[in-house]
Amino acid sequence: MTNPLDLSSRVSLFPDNTVLCNFGAVSRLDLLRKVLGGCGRWTEAVAEEARRSATYVRDLGQLPVEGWLGEPIELCTEAEIAFADRLRRAVFGGIPSEPLRHLGEAETLALIQTRKEFAGAVWITDDRDAGEYAAARGIPVKNTVTLMREAAVSGLIHYAEGHRLLLGMIADGRHIRGIPDRAERLLD
């Protein structure tokens, strides 16, 4: 029998800053933490994006203190850094004058594609184009609605409350696609 506390055999889950902001906007980072089940990870760039976003989404400021995404993962080799920069520019449209723009997405994809310990890791993003790019390369992709479905189906939250939270994210100006028209559809 496997030990559920042994994270070495569990798949890493990498939410991007947009997903962190979505849950933070409705003050439910605690729910995101539960859905990630101890497998949440982030890169240095995503951690920095969250730090900057905490100016607007106050709850994000607690992430480094609580530590449930672990220490931010640093790209260590010149090859990783160069690959992330190529992704940032070629895939995400990053430009030299804005070196931080799309860096979180690029670092995350570079880690998942190059490090053996992150093989099979799941990227969680609400950026449709970025998600399609990752999926085309065999990287499993989820989004905010997927996570809310998982929370409702697993009993972490009642489906009606999950639907209310998704609508609250929209009301807060968050851009989320695929919200079911009826709350019970979260259970589909």
Side-chain angles (χ1 to χ4, degrees):
M1 184 166 117
T2 60
N3 177 355
L5 299 178
D6 176 14
L7 301 181
S8 64
S9 63
R10 296 174 65 194
V11 171
S12 294
L13 305 170
F14 284 89
D16 70 11
N17 188 55
T18 301
V19 174
L20 298 173
C21 288
N22 290 343
F23 281 86
V26 292
S27 300
R28 289 307 309 262
L29 286 171
D30 64 311
L31 179 60
L32 177 60
R33 179 183 54 79
K34 290 175 187 174
V35 172
L36 298 180
C39 296
R41 303 299 303 268
W42 57 353
T43 67
E44 282 189 329
V46 173
E48 177 58 21
E49 288 174 6
R51 187 194 65 73
R52 288 192 319 266
S53 295
T55 303
Y56 310 101
V57 182
R58 191 182 79 247
D59 287 1
L60 295 181
Q62 67 196 41
L63 288 173
V65 175
E66 291 180 354
W68 50 267
L69 290 171
E71 286 296 316
I73 302 165
E74 178 182 5
L75 299 183
C76 298
T77 68
E78 288 299 319
E80 287 177 338
I81 294 166
F83 182 44
D85 190 53
R86 280 193 310 278
L87 288 170
R88 187 185 72 78
R89 288 181 288 111
V91 175
F92 301 113
I95 56 176
S97 62
E98 296 180 47
L100 300 180
R101 187 170 184 151
H102 303 298
L103 186 58
E105 295 95 329
E107 279 191 0
T108 301
L109 287 180
L111 282 175
I112 293 172
Q113 292 182 80
T114 61
R115 290 201 191 167
K116 288 182 178 155
E117 68 260 36
F118 299 123
V122 176
W123 188 31
I124 308 165
T125 182
D126 284 299
D127 182 321
R128 181 190 330 250
D129 292 337
E132 288 174 359
Y133 173 85
R137 278 139 191 85
I139 298 169
V141 178
K142 295 183 180 185
N143 60 36
T144 297
V145 174
T146 307
L147 295 183
M148 200 63 76
R149 284 183 194 283
E150 291 176 4
V153 168
S154 68
L156 291 173
I157 192 167
H158 189 275
Y159 66 86
E161 176 63 7
H163 193 257
R164 186 191 69 74
L165 289 173
L166 290 169
L167 295 177
M169 292 172 190
I170 294 290
D172 195 61
R174 310 301 307 158
H175 301 283
I176 301 171
R177 57 187 164 82
I179 297 177
D181 56 343
R182 295 190 331 262
E184 58 272 11
R185 286 274 171 88
L186 275 179
L187 299 173
D188 291 349

